[in-house]
Amino acid sequence: MNGGRVVWLANEPPGNFPPVADALREPNGLLAAGGDLDSTRLLEAYRRGIFPWYEEGQPLLWWSPDPRCVFLPGDFHVSRRLRREIRRRPWELRCNTSFSEVIGACAAPRRYQPGTWITPDMRNAYERLHAERWAHSVEVWLDGDLVGGLYGLAIGRAFFGESMFSRRSDASKLALLLLEHLLARHSFGLLDCQVRSAHLLSLGARLIPRQDFIALLDELCAQPTPFNSWPPTPIPARDLLGD
């Protein structure tokens, strides 16, 4: 990126992204445009600390913001109120049983955000990554209904969160709780949340410099294999409290 201009990837090979240090400061992290959502390009982007984010009608935009919002092992905070809520209702947690429904719910308009960046092309790309065992969903069920969840990519020992939704209060927090539990059990070193939000920071997420984030990825994604040790059966949320 020279003189603050965004690199166009139209004819670039899938792995040929510009250095993340060249990303714009305003808007924070904008690095490149163009290219496609081929699985090879997407996986290479995430391993380099880059992700796609754009709206219908815009060109495909690639970002690497500084600082980066992440959960490191042990960061997730389970409040007393959340513990009471977990014990009060028969929440059930599942993995990869309704990926399409989860990404569809994440793409639906919200009160504070009438549009969506999860375009049909994005949905198709992540559905393909799910079929290839890179993309995964964590789901929250209550009384037989899907009431919350999240989806993202697991590459090596890093999980890259993409989006989450709630149809009941606390449902997305429960999805994060299960994900944090599973990642810790399997020695993951990072849950990437991409950009800051007050909600994530209140749950224990932290901001780290982009250069530190990239250094972590170099270690955690050194062996970029899919993660396949998701629990095959539903888990009662109470089982995650450990007390």
Side-chain angles (χ1 to χ4, degrees):
M1 186 172 299
N2 297 314
R5 293 178 296 173
V6 175
V7 171
W8 184 261
L9 301 176
N11 298 313
E12 300 291 333
N16 198 8
F17 286 96
V20 296
D22 288 350
L24 296 181
R25 293 185 179 179
E26 184 59 41
N28 181 14
L30 181 58
L31 178 68
D36 55 43
L37 294 171
D38 178 79
S39 293
T40 301
R41 188 187 298 275
L42 282 168
L43 292 172
E44 186 63 25
Y46 281 95
R47 289 173 59 192
R48 295 184 182 206
I50 304 164
F51 60 88
W53 188 22
Y54 68 105
E55 295 183 2
E56 196 72 51
Q58 293 180 331
L60 176 51
L61 302 176
W62 300 90
W63 302 78
S64 184
D66 187 16
R68 195 77 165 219
C69 185
V70 303
F71 285 98
L72 299 181
D75 278 352
F76 186 77
H77 172 62
V78 184
S79 66
R80 287 194 293 269
R81 193 192 68 78
L82 181 58
R83 288 178 179 273
R84 289 195 299 269
E85 181 59 28
I86 290 172
R87 294 189 179 98
R88 195 163 71 92
R89 300 180 190 275
W91 304 98
E92 188 176 84
L93 308 176
R94 307 179 192 176
C95 297
N96 290 327
T97 68
S98 298
F99 185 89
S100 294
E101 290 82 356
V102 169
I103 195 170
C106 289
R110 310 183 189 197
R111 291 191 305 273
Y112 56 87
Q113 182 182 326
T116 179
W117 56 269
I118 307 175
T119 65
D121 286 345
M122 288 279 276
R123 288 186 64 171
N124 290 337
Y126 287 89
E127 292 269 14
R128 185 171 62 250
L129 286 167
H130 177 62
E132 296 167 355
R133 300 183 301 166
W134 294 103
H136 307 276
S137 61
V138 178
E139 307 146 14
V140 181
W141 296 77
L142 185 63
D143 299 327
D145 294 324
L146 178 65
V147 296
L150 60 83
Y151 76 97
L153 276 66
I155 304 175
R157 293 189 294 115
F159 191 93
F160 301 87
E162 275 295 303
S163 187
M164 58 187 179
F165 79 99
S166 287
R167 292 173 178 154
R168 296 288 294 267
S169 180
D170 295 318
S172 62
K173 295 178 185 178
L174 291 177
L176 277 171
L177 175 61
L178 175 59
L179 180 60
E180 190 270 345
H181 176 82
L182 293 172
L183 298 183
R185 177 186 293 179
H186 293 281
S187 301
F188 275 62
L190 176 74
L191 167 55
D192 175 35
C193 304
Q194 298 180 346
V195 295
R196 75 177 76 194
S197 77
H199 175 63
L200 291 170
L201 294 175
S202 73
L203 297 175
R206 67 176 75 186
L207 301 176
I208 63 173
R210 182 173 54 210
Q211 63 182 9
D212 294 349
F213 177 73
I214 299 302
L216 280 172
L217 294 188
D218 289 343
E219 174 188 352
L220 298 172
C221 298
Q223 296 181 340
T225 54
F227 175 69
N228 295 311
S229 298
W230 301 96
T233 56
I235 299 173
R238 295 185 186 91
D239 290 358
L240 301 182
L241 292 179
D243 53 18

PDB file of all heavy atoms in Angstrom, residues 203-233:
ATOM      1  N   LEU A 203     -16.931  -9.024  28.988  1.00  0.00           N
ATOM      2  CA  LEU A 203     -16.830 -10.464  29.240  1.00  0.00           C
ATOM      3  C   LEU A 203     -15.388 -10.920  29.452  1.00  0.00           C
ATOM      4  O   LEU A 203     -15.150 -12.102  29.686  1.00  0.00           O
ATOM      5  CB  LEU A 203     -17.448 -11.245  28.085  1.00  0.00           C
ATOM      6  CG  LEU A 203     -18.950 -11.029  27.856  1.00  0.00           C
ATOM      7  CD1 LEU A 203     -19.406 -11.756  26.601  1.00  0.00           C
ATOM      8  CD2 LEU A 203     -19.750 -11.512  29.065  1.00  0.00           C
ATOM      9  N   GLY A 204     -14.442  -9.998  29.352  1.00  0.00           N
ATOM     10  CA  GLY A 204     -13.049 -10.337  29.605  1.00  0.00           C
ATOM     11  C   GLY A 204     -12.129 -10.233  28.413  1.00  0.00           C
ATOM     12  O   GLY A 204     -10.922 -10.485  28.547  1.00  0.00           O
ATOM     13  N   ALA A 205     -12.659  -9.915  27.232  1.00  0.00           N
ATOM     14  CA  ALA A 205     -11.787  -9.741  26.066  1.00  0.00           C
ATOM     15  C   ALA A 205     -10.812  -8.594  26.306  1.00  0.00           C
ATOM     16  O   ALA A 205     -11.070  -7.693  27.106  1.00  0.00           O
ATOM     17  CB  ALA A 205     -12.625  -9.482  24.813  1.00  0.00           C
ATOM     18  N   ARG A 206      -9.700  -8.634  25.610  1.00  0.00           N
ATOM     19  CA  ARG A 206      -8.685  -7.599  25.747  1.00  0.00           C
ATOM     20  C   ARG A 206      -8.239  -7.118  24.371  1.00  0.00           C
ATOM     21  O   ARG A 206      -8.465  -7.790  23.357  1.00  0.00           O
ATOM     22  CB  ARG A 206      -7.484  -8.131  26.517  1.00  0.00           C
ATOM     23  CG  ARG A 206      -6.703  -9.211  25.775  1.00  0.00           C
ATOM     24  CD  ARG A 206      -5.473  -9.651  26.535  1.00  0.00           C
ATOM     25  NE  ARG A 206      -5.809 -10.505  27.678  1.00  0.00           N
ATOM     26  CZ  ARG A 206      -4.894 -10.921  28.561  1.00  0.00           C
ATOM     27  NH1 ARG A 206      -3.638 -10.548  28.437  1.00  0.00           N
ATOM     28  NH2 ARG A 206      -5.255 -11.711  29.561  1.00  0.00           N
ATOM     29  N   LEU A 207      -7.592  -5.961  24.340  1.00  0.00           N
ATOM     30  CA  LEU A 207      -7.025  -5.418  23.120  1.00  0.00           C
ATOM     31  C   LEU A 207      -5.518  -5.637  23.145  1.00  0.00           C
ATOM     32  O   LEU A 207      -4.862  -5.334  24.147  1.00  0.00           O
ATOM     33  CB  LEU A 207      -7.336  -3.928  22.991  1.00  0.00           C
ATOM     34  CG  LEU A 207      -8.814  -3.550  22.983  1.00  0.00           C
ATOM     35  CD1 LEU A 207      -8.967  -2.023  22.954  1.00  0.00           C
ATOM     36  CD2 LEU A 207      -9.542  -4.175  21.805  1.00  0.00           C
ATOM     37  N   ILE A 208      -4.972  -6.182  22.050  1.00  0.00           N
ATOM     38  CA  ILE A 208      -3.525  -6.380  21.967  1.00  0.00           C
ATOM     39  C   ILE A 208      -3.022  -5.750  20.677  1.00  0.00           C
ATOM     40  O   ILE A 208      -3.748  -5.665  19.684  1.00  0.00           O
ATOM     41  CB  ILE A 208      -3.130  -7.870  22.037  1.00  0.00           C
ATOM     42  CG1 ILE A 208      -3.700  -8.648  20.842  1.00  0.00           C
ATOM     43  CG2 ILE A 208      -3.589  -8.493  23.349  1.00  0.00           C
ATOM     44  CD1 ILE A 208      -3.198 -10.087  20.770  1.00  0.00           C
ATOM     45  N   PRO A 209      -1.778  -5.279  20.658  1.00  0.00           N
ATOM     46  CA  PRO A 209      -1.225  -4.695  19.438  1.00  0.00           C
ATOM     47  C   PRO A 209      -1.241  -5.706  18.290  1.00  0.00           C
ATOM     48  O   PRO A 209      -1.062  -6.913  18.518  1.00  0.00           O
ATOM     49  CB  PRO A 209       0.208  -4.322  19.831  1.00  0.00           C
ATOM     50  CG  PRO A 209       0.177  -4.208  21.326  1.00  0.00           C
ATOM     51  CD  PRO A 209      -0.822  -5.225  21.787  1.00  0.00           C
ATOM     52  N   ARG A 210      -1.444  -5.221  17.093  1.00  0.00           N
ATOM     53  CA  ARG A 210      -1.505  -6.115  15.934  1.00  0.00           C
ATOM     54  C   ARG A 210      -0.229  -6.938  15.797  1.00  0.00           C
ATOM     55  O   ARG A 210      -0.291  -8.133  15.466  1.00  0.00           O
ATOM     56  CB  ARG A 210      -1.764  -5.322  14.652  1.00  0.00           C
ATOM     57  CG  ARG A 210      -1.885  -6.203  13.397  1.00  0.00           C
ATOM     58  CD  ARG A 210      -2.319  -5.390  12.196  1.00  0.00           C
ATOM     59  NE  ARG A 210      -1.431  -4.259  12.001  1.00  0.00           N
ATOM     60  CZ  ARG A 210      -1.812  -3.100  11.455  1.00  0.00           C
ATOM     61  NH1 ARG A 210      -3.060  -2.930  11.052  1.00  0.00           N
ATOM     62  NH2 ARG A 210      -0.948  -2.119  11.306  1.00  0.00           N
ATOM     63  N   GLN A 211       0.925  -6.346  16.054  1.00  0.00           N
ATOM     64  CA  GLN A 211       2.165  -7.102  15.897  1.00  0.00           C
ATOM     65  C   GLN A 211       2.230  -8.277  16.877  1.00  0.00           C
ATOM     66  O   GLN A 211       2.763  -9.346  16.533  1.00  0.00           O
ATOM     67  CB  GLN A 211       3.374  -6.187  16.077  1.00  0.00           C
ATOM     68  CG  GLN A 211       3.513  -5.567  17.451  1.00  0.00           C
ATOM     69  CD  GLN A 211       4.716  -4.640  17.544  1.00  0.00           C
ATOM     70  OE1 GLN A 211       5.357  -4.319  16.540  1.00  0.00           O
ATOM     71  NE2 GLN A 211       5.028  -4.199  18.749  1.00  0.00           N
ATOM     72  N   ASP A 212       1.674  -8.120  18.083  1.00  0.00           N
ATOM     73  CA  ASP A 212       1.631  -9.228  19.033  1.00  0.00           C
ATOM     74  C   ASP A 212       0.649 -10.300  18.558  1.00  0.00           C
ATOM     75  O   ASP A 212       0.891 -11.508  18.729  1.00  0.00           O
ATOM     76  CB  ASP A 212       1.221  -8.732  20.413  1.00  0.00           C
ATOM     77  CG  ASP A 212       2.260  -7.812  21.036  1.00  0.00           C
ATOM     78  OD1 ASP A 212       3.388  -7.734  20.492  1.00  0.00           O
ATOM     79  OD2 ASP A 212       1.934  -7.154  22.044  1.00  0.00           O
ATOM     80  N   PHE A 213      -0.461  -9.864  17.983  1.00  0.00           N
ATOM     81  CA  PHE A 213      -1.448 -10.796  17.443  1.00  0.00           C
ATOM     82  C   PHE A 213      -0.837 -11.634  16.317  1.00  0.00           C
ATOM     83  O   PHE A 213      -0.990 -12.869  16.285  1.00  0.00           O
ATOM     84  CB  PHE A 213      -2.654 -10.005  16.934  1.00  0.00           C
ATOM     85  CG  PHE A 213      -3.716 -10.828  16.283  1.00  0.00           C
ATOM     86  CD1 PHE A 213      -4.549 -11.645  17.022  1.00  0.00           C
ATOM     87  CD2 PHE A 213      -3.893 -10.787  14.907  1.00  0.00           C
ATOM     88  CE1 PHE A 213      -5.531 -12.407  16.415  1.00  0.00           C
ATOM     89  CE2 PHE A 213      -4.876 -11.543  14.285  1.00  0.00           C
ATOM     90  CZ  PHE A 213      -5.701 -12.354  15.047  1.00  0.00           C
ATOM     91  N   ILE A 214      -0.115 -11.000  15.418  1.00  0.00           N
ATOM     92  CA  ILE A 214       0.500 -11.726  14.305  1.00  0.00           C
ATOM     93  C   ILE A 214       1.544 -12.712  14.822  1.00  0.00           C
ATOM     94  O   ILE A 214       1.663 -13.845  14.325  1.00  0.00           O
ATOM     95  CB  ILE A 214       1.135 -10.741  13.303  1.00  0.00           C
ATOM     96  CG1 ILE A 214       0.065  -9.811  12.709  1.00  0.00           C
ATOM     97  CG2 ILE A 214       1.866 -11.498  12.201  1.00  0.00           C
ATOM     98  CD1 ILE A 214      -1.056 -10.515  11.995  1.00  0.00           C
ATOM     99  N   ALA A 215       2.296 -12.317  15.846  1.00  0.00           N
ATOM    100  CA  ALA A 215       3.288 -13.222  16.428  1.00  0.00           C
ATOM    101  C   ALA A 215       2.619 -14.457  17.019  1.00  0.00           C
ATOM    102  O   ALA A 215       3.129 -15.586  16.885  1.00  0.00           O
ATOM    103  CB  ALA A 215       4.105 -12.492  17.498  1.00  0.00           C
ATOM    104  N   LEU A 216       1.467 -14.267  17.663  1.00  0.00           N
ATOM    105  CA  LEU A 216       0.715 -15.413  18.177  1.00  0.00           C
ATOM    106  C   LEU A 216       0.261 -16.331  17.050  1.00  0.00           C
ATOM    107  O   LEU A 216       0.353 -17.558  17.148  1.00  0.00           O
ATOM    108  CB  LEU A 216      -0.496 -14.929  18.978  1.00  0.00           C
ATOM    109  CG  LEU A 216      -0.251 -14.474  20.405  1.00  0.00           C
ATOM    110  CD1 LEU A 216      -1.514 -13.839  20.982  1.00  0.00           C
ATOM    111  CD2 LEU A 216       0.175 -15.645  21.279  1.00  0.00           C
ATOM    112  N   LEU A 217      -0.241 -15.746  15.966  1.00  0.00           N
ATOM    113  CA  LEU A 217      -0.694 -16.569  14.840  1.00  0.00           C
ATOM    114  C   LEU A 217       0.458 -17.360  14.232  1.00  0.00           C
ATOM    115  O   LEU A 217       0.270 -18.519  13.830  1.00  0.00           O
ATOM    116  CB  LEU A 217      -1.345 -15.694  13.772  1.00  0.00           C
ATOM    117  CG  LEU A 217      -2.650 -14.998  14.138  1.00  0.00           C
ATOM    118  CD1 LEU A 217      -3.253 -14.339  12.898  1.00  0.00           C
ATOM    119  CD2 LEU A 217      -3.653 -15.964  14.749  1.00  0.00           C
ATOM    120  N   ASP A 218       1.624 -16.762  14.139  1.00  0.00           N
ATOM    121  CA  ASP A 218       2.776 -17.480  13.589  1.00  0.00           C
ATOM    122  C   ASP A 218       3.061 -18.749  14.381  1.00  0.00           C
ATOM    123  O   ASP A 218       3.468 -19.772  13.813  1.00  0.00           O
ATOM    124  CB  ASP A 218       4.015 -16.574  13.593  1.00  0.00           C
ATOM    125  CG  ASP A 218       3.943 -15.464  12.557  1.00  0.00           C
ATOM    126  OD1 ASP A 218       3.119 -15.561  11.636  1.00  0.00           O
ATOM    127  OD2 ASP A 218       4.707 -14.482  12.686  1.00  0.00           O
ATOM    128  N   GLU A 219       2.826 -18.690  15.684  1.00  0.00           N
ATOM    129  CA  GLU A 219       3.045 -19.864  16.536  1.00  0.00           C
ATOM    130  C   GLU A 219       1.853 -20.822  16.481  1.00  0.00           C
ATOM    131  O   GLU A 219       2.023 -22.029  16.279  1.00  0.00           O
ATOM    132  CB  GLU A 219       3.270 -19.423  17.979  1.00  0.00           C
ATOM    133  CG  GLU A 219       3.353 -20.566  18.972  1.00  0.00           C
ATOM    134  CD  GLU A 219       3.388 -20.091  20.413  1.00  0.00           C
ATOM    135  OE1 GLU A 219       3.504 -18.872  20.641  1.00  0.00           O
ATOM    136  OE2 GLU A 219       3.272 -20.949  21.315  1.00  0.00           O
ATOM    137  N   LEU A 220       0.639 -20.284  16.646  1.00  0.00           N
ATOM    138  CA  LEU A 220      -0.532 -21.144  16.800  1.00  0.00           C
ATOM    139  C   LEU A 220      -0.987 -21.776  15.493  1.00  0.00           C
ATOM    140  O   LEU A 220      -1.615 -22.849  15.505  1.00  0.00           O
ATOM    141  CB  LEU A 220      -1.677 -20.334  17.409  1.00  0.00           C
ATOM    142  CG  LEU A 220      -1.422 -19.767  18.804  1.00  0.00           C
ATOM    143  CD1 LEU A 220      -2.550 -18.827  19.210  1.00  0.00           C
ATOM    144  CD2 LEU A 220      -1.268 -20.887  19.830  1.00  0.00           C
ATOM    145  N   CYS A 221      -0.703 -21.127  14.379  1.00  0.00           N
ATOM    146  CA  CYS A 221      -1.123 -21.655  13.078  1.00  0.00           C
ATOM    147  C   CYS A 221       0.033 -22.267  12.308  1.00  0.00           C
ATOM    148  O   CYS A 221      -0.052 -22.452  11.089  1.00  0.00           O
ATOM    149  CB  CYS A 221      -1.772 -20.556  12.243  1.00  0.00           C
ATOM    150  SG  CYS A 221      -3.260 -19.858  12.978  1.00  0.00           S
ATOM    151  N   ALA A 222       1.121 -22.605  13.002  1.00  0.00           N
ATOM    152  CA  ALA A 222       2.277 -23.193  12.336  1.00  0.00           C
ATOM    153  C   ALA A 222       1.915 -24.511  11.665  1.00  0.00           C
ATOM    154  O   ALA A 222       2.477 -24.876  10.628  1.00  0.00           O
ATOM    155  CB  ALA A 222       3.416 -23.393  13.337  1.00  0.00           C
ATOM    156  N   GLN A 223       0.984 -25.242  12.259  1.00  0.00           N
ATOM    157  CA  GLN A 223       0.445 -26.466  11.658  1.00  0.00           C
ATOM    158  C   GLN A 223      -1.040 -26.230  11.396  1.00  0.00           C
ATOM    159  O   GLN A 223      -1.886 -26.553  12.243  1.00  0.00           O
ATOM    160  CB  GLN A 223       0.665 -27.667  12.581  1.00  0.00           C
ATOM    161  CG  GLN A 223       2.140 -27.985  12.813  1.00  0.00           C
ATOM    162  CD  GLN A 223       2.329 -29.205  13.706  1.00  0.00           C
ATOM    163  OE1 GLN A 223       1.444 -29.619  14.439  1.00  0.00           O
ATOM    164  NE2 GLN A 223       3.508 -29.791  13.625  1.00  0.00           N
ATOM    165  N   PRO A 224      -1.370 -25.678  10.232  1.00  0.00           N
ATOM    166  CA  PRO A 224      -2.750 -25.242   9.962  1.00  0.00           C
ATOM    167  C   PRO A 224      -3.671 -26.385   9.575  1.00  0.00           C
ATOM    168  O   PRO A 224      -4.097 -26.519   8.425  1.00  0.00           O
ATOM    169  CB  PRO A 224      -2.559 -24.253   8.814  1.00  0.00           C
ATOM    170  CG  PRO A 224      -1.372 -24.781   8.078  1.00  0.00           C
ATOM    171  CD  PRO A 224      -0.446 -25.343   9.131  1.00  0.00           C
ATOM    172  N   THR A 225      -4.005 -27.207  10.551  1.00  0.00           N
ATOM    173  CA  THR A 225      -4.897 -28.336  10.303  1.00  0.00           C
ATOM    174  C   THR A 225      -6.282 -28.031  10.871  1.00  0.00           C
ATOM    175  O   THR A 225      -6.419 -27.252  11.811  1.00  0.00           O
ATOM    176  CB  THR A 225      -4.343 -29.605  10.960  1.00  0.00           C
ATOM    177  OG1 THR A 225      -4.100 -29.332  12.352  1.00  0.00           O
ATOM    178  CG2 THR A 225      -3.034 -30.029  10.310  1.00  0.00           C
ATOM    179  N   PRO A 226      -7.325 -28.658  10.313  1.00  0.00           N
ATOM    180  CA  PRO A 226      -8.663 -28.470  10.895  1.00  0.00           C
ATOM    181  C   PRO A 226      -8.743 -29.082  12.283  1.00  0.00           C
ATOM    182  O   PRO A 226      -8.022 -30.036  12.613  1.00  0.00           O
ATOM    183  CB  PRO A 226      -9.588 -29.206   9.905  1.00  0.00           C
ATOM    184  CG  PRO A 226      -8.777 -29.423   8.678  1.00  0.00           C
ATOM    185  CD  PRO A 226      -7.354 -29.512   9.117  1.00  0.00           C
ATOM    186  N   PHE A 227      -9.629 -28.548  13.101  1.00  0.00           N
ATOM    187  CA  PHE A 227      -9.891 -29.079  14.438  1.00  0.00           C
ATOM    188  C   PHE A 227     -11.174 -29.898  14.379  1.00  0.00           C
ATOM    189  O   PHE A 227     -12.212 -29.401  13.949  1.00  0.00           O
ATOM    190  CB  PHE A 227     -10.028 -27.937  15.441  1.00  0.00           C
ATOM    191  CG  PHE A 227     -10.416 -28.387  16.828  1.00  0.00           C
ATOM    192  CD1 PHE A 227      -9.527 -29.111  17.595  1.00  0.00           C
ATOM    193  CD2 PHE A 227     -11.664 -28.088  17.345  1.00  0.00           C
ATOM    194  CE1 PHE A 227      -9.873 -29.524  18.869  1.00  0.00           C
ATOM    195  CE2 PHE A 227     -12.022 -28.500  18.621  1.00  0.00           C
ATOM    196  CZ  PHE A 227     -11.119 -29.220  19.379  1.00  0.00           C
ATOM    197  N   ASN A 228     -11.089 -31.168  14.799  1.00  0.00           N
ATOM    198  CA  ASN A 228     -12.230 -32.068  14.640  1.00  0.00           C
ATOM    199  C   ASN A 228     -12.712 -32.690  15.945  1.00  0.00           C
ATOM    200  O   ASN A 228     -13.501 -33.636  15.915  1.00  0.00           O
ATOM    201  CB  ASN A 228     -11.873 -33.188  13.655  1.00  0.00           C
ATOM    202  CG  ASN A 228     -11.615 -32.666  12.260  1.00  0.00           C
ATOM    203  OD1 ASN A 228     -12.408 -31.899  11.727  1.00  0.00           O
ATOM    204  ND2 ASN A 228     -10.494 -33.067  11.670  1.00  0.00           N
ATOM    205  N   SER A 229     -12.274 -32.175  17.090  1.00  0.00           N
ATOM    206  CA  SER A 229     -12.632 -32.792  18.371  1.00  0.00           C
ATOM    207  C   SER A 229     -13.821 -32.110  19.027  1.00  0.00           C
ATOM    208  O   SER A 229     -13.843 -31.885  20.235  1.00  0.00           O
ATOM    209  CB  SER A 229     -11.425 -32.775  19.311  1.00  0.00           C
ATOM    210  OG  SER A 229     -10.356 -33.532  18.783  1.00  0.00           O
ATOM    211  N   TRP A 230     -14.821 -31.759  18.232  1.00  0.00           N
ATOM    212  CA  TRP A 230     -16.029 -31.155  18.786  1.00  0.00           C
ATOM    213  C   TRP A 230     -16.872 -32.233  19.447  1.00  0.00           C
ATOM    214  O   TRP A 230     -16.942 -33.362  18.959  1.00  0.00           O
ATOM    215  CB  TRP A 230     -16.821 -30.470  17.677  1.00  0.00           C
ATOM    216  CG  TRP A 230     -16.038 -29.405  16.999  1.00  0.00           C
ATOM    217  CD1 TRP A 230     -15.324 -29.521  15.838  1.00  0.00           C
ATOM    218  CD2 TRP A 230     -15.830 -28.075  17.472  1.00  0.00           C
ATOM    219  NE1 TRP A 230     -14.698 -28.336  15.542  1.00  0.00           N
ATOM    220  CE2 TRP A 230     -14.978 -27.425  16.517  1.00  0.00           C
ATOM    221  CE3 TRP A 230     -16.269 -27.357  18.582  1.00  0.00           C
ATOM    222  CZ2 TRP A 230     -14.578 -26.107  16.665  1.00  0.00           C
ATOM    223  CZ3 TRP A 230     -15.872 -26.044  18.723  1.00  0.00           C
ATOM    224  CH2 TRP A 230     -15.034 -25.433  17.775  1.00  0.00           C
ATOM    225  N   PRO A 231     -17.520 -31.931  20.561  1.00  0.00           N
ATOM    226  CA  PRO A 231     -18.327 -32.959  21.254  1.00  0.00           C
ATOM    227  C   PRO A 231     -19.468 -33.438  20.361  1.00  0.00           C
ATOM    228  O   PRO A 231     -20.173 -32.633  19.758  1.00  0.00           O
ATOM    229  CB  PRO A 231     -18.836 -32.242  22.501  1.00  0.00           C
ATOM    230  CG  PRO A 231     -18.686 -30.787  22.208  1.00  0.00           C
ATOM    231  CD  PRO A 231     -17.533 -30.645  21.275  1.00  0.00           C
ATOM    232  N   PRO A 232     -19.677 -34.754  20.278  1.00  0.00           N
ATOM    233  CA  PRO A 232     -20.700 -35.291  19.382  1.00  0.00           C
ATOM    234  C   PRO A 232     -22.106 -35.244  19.962  1.00  0.00           C
ATOM    235  O   PRO A 232     -23.079 -35.438  19.224  1.00  0.00           O
ATOM    236  CB  PRO A 232     -20.244 -36.737  19.170  1.00  0.00           C
ATOM    237  CG  PRO A 232     -19.528 -37.081  20.454  1.00  0.00           C
ATOM    238  CD  PRO A 232     -18.857 -35.807  20.898  1.00  0.00           C
ATOM    239  N   THR A 233     -22.229 -35.012  21.260  1.00  0.00           N
ATOM    240  CA  THR A 233     -23.537 -35.031  21.909  1.00  0.00           C
ATOM    241  C   THR A 233     -23.787 -33.711  22.629  1.00  0.00           C
ATOM    242  O   THR A 233     -22.850 -32.984  22.968  1.00  0.00           O
ATOM    243  CB  THR A 233     -23.629 -36.186  22.920  1.00  0.00           C
ATOM    244  OG1 THR A 233     -22.559 -36.062  23.872  1.00  0.00           O
ATOM    245  CG2 THR A 233     -23.498 -37.533  22.212  1.00  0.00           C
TER     246      THR A 233
END
